[in-house]
Amino acid sequence: MGEPEHLRSTYNDIHNIIRGTSNKIASEFKPDMFIAIGGGGFFPARVLRTFLKDPSTKKNIPIQAIGLSLYESLPGTTVEQLNGEVVRTQWLGPDPGKRLLGRRALIIDEVDDTRKTLQYALNELQKDVEAELQLLPESERDSKRTKFAVFVVHNKLKPKLGKLPPNIPYFAGAEVEDVWLDYPWEVIDIEEHDRLAKEDEERKNITVDEH
Amino acid sequence: MGEPEHLRSTYNDIHNIIRGTSNKIASEFKPDMFIAIGGGGFFPARVLRTFLKDPSTKKNIPIQAIGLSLYESLPGTTVEQLNGEVVRTQWLGPDPGKRLLGRRALIIDEVDDTRKTLQYALNELQKDVEAELQLLPESERDSKRTKFAVFVVHNKLKPKLGKLPPNIPYFAGAEVEDVWLDYPWEVIDIEEHDRLAKEDEERKNITVDEH
């Protein structure tokens, strides 16, 4: 039996994937700010906040949202099909650079598909930081430069069109083949979705047993 | 047996509450923009988008996020305890007023407790709209004035400290007593949460049977 074309995740699956990665993020990166890429990053960001607290204050980690037009207004098109500039529909603010300076910011999305969205988001955020750093004396810049990392629920194992610099910590809740991911918040009938997810799981277990 | 102190909702419960209200929102308000109050409004906004499309374009409805400091950095304190000014941690943008003009904007949060957050969000958004309208010739203002409505997953039946004007359409997925609401994205162990939610449900059914 070949790989299933669809991978269906239940809400509890996603919750537990995030839970399972949270200790690693806490110990290896210690974020004090989340930047959720909307709309897919909203749910993962909110759930991850339950498992992590600000390392200094022990308070909730603030979530800022950013929006990119391909997510917001062009359903059915991918980054590649757009083949043009990605448009910001929402950004940090007010004062994006000021908000970022000196922080440890975790950029969050639900899936790393081609990596182009993540590359775009990181580049643009870094531009805001650099512009703000220019307003400081040179001696203070290094200590104030924002540290970024990336968290995605699923990373698709496929050739990536976008690149992330090797010094950016990268956390994926789960690595998956290049399948179609069906997220629970995208379905109408959640009971039917859960039933199909359970069937898929049972089928996969049978396939594994046969080997 | 008295009312339970806690009301536990599973992810699927919330999904279905939102589903159950979506037709009413579509037919009575027809939003073409969502404004999610973070972090609690993020998940409901993303789920509601699955059930509604932009009435003119049939495309995804864009989600903008706003953040208020009581949600972001002061866990354990309520609006009343703060007793001061609520601080915006994120706002629409850039150009909030321009984004809002001529739109039908649905403000989304997970719960209407004291209503103060909703009142604050609406007032501030309306200020942005009015400032933008002043830049237009008077004859154009009425047609461009943003229409607002509110959607919450749960409305607590209790005296409200905040007020919403009667001309603002108000949608609540469910009306509940003044109980403690346990949301699935706030718990560590989601299986235990679901188990307790099921127990609560069974206990409630027994109580109803006794009457």
Side-chain angles (χ1 to χ4, degrees):
Chain A
M1 190 180 283
E3 281 297 313
E5 260 201 330
H6 285 243
L7 177 65
R8 294 180 183 88
S9 301
T10 67
Y11 282 119
N12 288 11
D13 289 340
I14 307 278
H15 187 98
N16 286 325
I17 285 174
I18 295 168
R19 181 184 182 182
T21 320
S22 59
N23 279 344
K24 194 173 156 71
I25 296 171
S27 63
E28 295 181 14
F29 183 64
K30 301 180 181 62
D32 59 14
M33 179 185 192
F34 292 166
I35 298 172
I37 302 178
F42 287 168
F43 177 60
R46 180 58 193 83
V47 175
L48 185 61
R49 191 166 80 168
T50 294
F51 299 106
L52 295 181
K53 295 292 161 192
D54 182 297
S56 330
T57 64
K58 310 292 172 206
K59 289 182 177 175
N60 278 342
I61 296 174
I63 303 173
Q64 293 263 317
I66 60 176
L68 304 171
S69 70
L70 62 144
Y71 279 97
E72 296 303 329
S73 55
L74 297 156
T77 58
T78 66
V79 191
E80 300 79 69
Q81 287 169 318
L82 284 176
N83 230 351
E85 207 189 335
V86 183
V87 179
R88 302 174 177 190
T89 56
Q90 178 164 29
W91 208 245
L92 310 184
D95 296 322
K98 277 204 184 57
R99 273 164 202 279
L100 289 166
L101 236 51
R103 306 299 289 261
R104 305 182 63 83
L106 185 67
I107 301 168
I108 301 178
D109 207 349
E110 93 272 52
V111 60
D112 175 358
D113 186 19
T114 66
R115 202 161 282 175
K116 282 183 86 166
T117 306
L118 288 167
Q119 177 186 323
Y120 177 86
L122 177 68
N123 284 354
E124 294 294 300
L125 290 165
Q126 284 183 324
K127 276 187 214 166
D128 286 338
V129 172
E130 291 304 321
E132 199 67 32
L133 286 173
Q134 296 309 310
L135 306 176
L136 296 180
E138 207 169 335
S139 60
E140 291 178 22
R141 288 181 197 163
D142 275 353
S143 66
K144 289 286 192 182
R145 184 167 280 115
T146 312
K147 305 282 189 303
F148 287 103
V150 167
F151 169 61
V152 291
V153 178
H154 290 110
N155 175 35
K156 288 193 187 177
L157 298 168
K158 62 188 287 189
K160 300 295 186 182
L161 301 170
K163 300 257 178 273
L164 294 170
N167 66 331
I168 300 293
Y170 179 90
F171 304 94
E175 309 268 357
V176 295
E177 298 299 316
D178 188 11
V179 294
W180 192 275
L181 294 168
D182 291 343
Y183 286 105
W185 51 82
E186 291 168 350
V187 306
I188 304 281
D189 184 339
I190 193 68
E191 283 78 21
E192 173 71 0
H193 175 81
D194 284 8
R195 196 183 61 72
L196 292 169
K198 200 175 167 193
E199 271 186 21
D200 291 349
E201 194 58 33
E202 287 164 358
R203 197 178 303 122
K204 209 167 61 184
N205 290 339
I206 292 167
T207 313
V208 171
D209 288 349
E210 282 171 352
H211 285 267
Chain B
M1 188 181 283
E3 281 297 313
E5 261 201 328
H6 284 242
L7 177 64
R8 295 180 183 86
S9 301
T10 68
Y11 282 119
N12 288 11
D13 289 340
I14 308 278
H15 187 98
N16 286 325
I17 285 174
I18 294 168
R19 181 183 182 182
T21 320
S22 59
N23 279 344
K24 193 173 157 72
I25 296 171
S27 64
E28 295 181 14
F29 182 63
K30 300 180 182 63
D32 58 14
M33 178 184 193
F34 291 166
I35 299 172
I37 302 179
F42 287 167
F43 177 60
R46 180 59 192 84
V47 175
L48 185 61
R49 191 166 78 168
T50 294
F51 298 106
L52 295 180
K53 296 290 163 194
D54 183 298
S56 328
T57 64
K58 310 292 172 207
K59 289 183 178 174
N60 279 342
I61 295 174
I63 303 173
Q64 294 263 318
I66 61 175
L68 304 171
S69 70
L70 62 144
Y71 279 99
E72 295 304 329
S73 55
L74 298 157
T77 57
T78 65
V79 190
E80 300 80 71
Q81 289 170 316
L82 284 176
N83 231 350
E85 206 189 337
V86 183
V87 179
R88 302 174 176 190
T89 57
Q90 178 164 29
W91 209 244
L92 310 183
D95 295 323
K98 278 205 183 56
R99 272 164 203 278
L100 288 166
L101 237 49
R103 306 300 287 262
R104 304 182 64 83
L106 185 67
I107 301 167
I108 301 178
D109 207 349
E110 93 272 53
V111 60
D112 176 358
D113 185 19
T114 66
R115 203 160 282 174
K116 283 183 86 167
T117 307
L118 289 166
Q119 178 187 321
Y120 176 86
L122 177 68
N123 284 355
E124 294 294 301
L125 291 165
Q126 283 182 323
K127 276 187 214 166
D128 286 338
V129 171
E130 290 305 320
E132 199 66 31
L133 285 173
Q134 295 310 311
L135 307 175
L136 295 180
E138 206 170 335
S139 61
E140 291 178 22
R141 288 180 197 165
D142 275 354
S143 66
K144 288 285 191 183
R145 183 167 279 116
T146 311
K147 304 283 189 303
F148 288 102
V150 167
F151 168 61
V152 291
V153 178
H154 291 111
N155 175 35
K156 288 193 187 176
L157 297 168
K158 62 188 286 189
K160 301 293 187 182
L161 301 170
K163 300 256 177 275
L164 294 170
N167 66 330
I168 299 293
Y170 178 91
F171 304 94
E175 309 268 358
V176 296
E177 297 300 316
D178 188 12
V179 294
W180 193 275
L181 294 168
D182 292 342
Y183 286 106
W185 51 83
E186 292 168 350
V187 305
I188 305 281
D189 183 339
I190 193 68
E191 283 78 20
E192 173 72 359
H193 175 81
D194 284 8
R195 195 184 62 71
L196 292 169
K198 201 175 165 192
E199 271 186 21
D200 291 349
E201 193 59 33
E202 285 164 0
R203 196 178 304 123
K204 210 167 64 186
N205 290 339
I206 292 167
T207 313
V208 171
D209 287 351
E210 282 170 353
H211 284 267

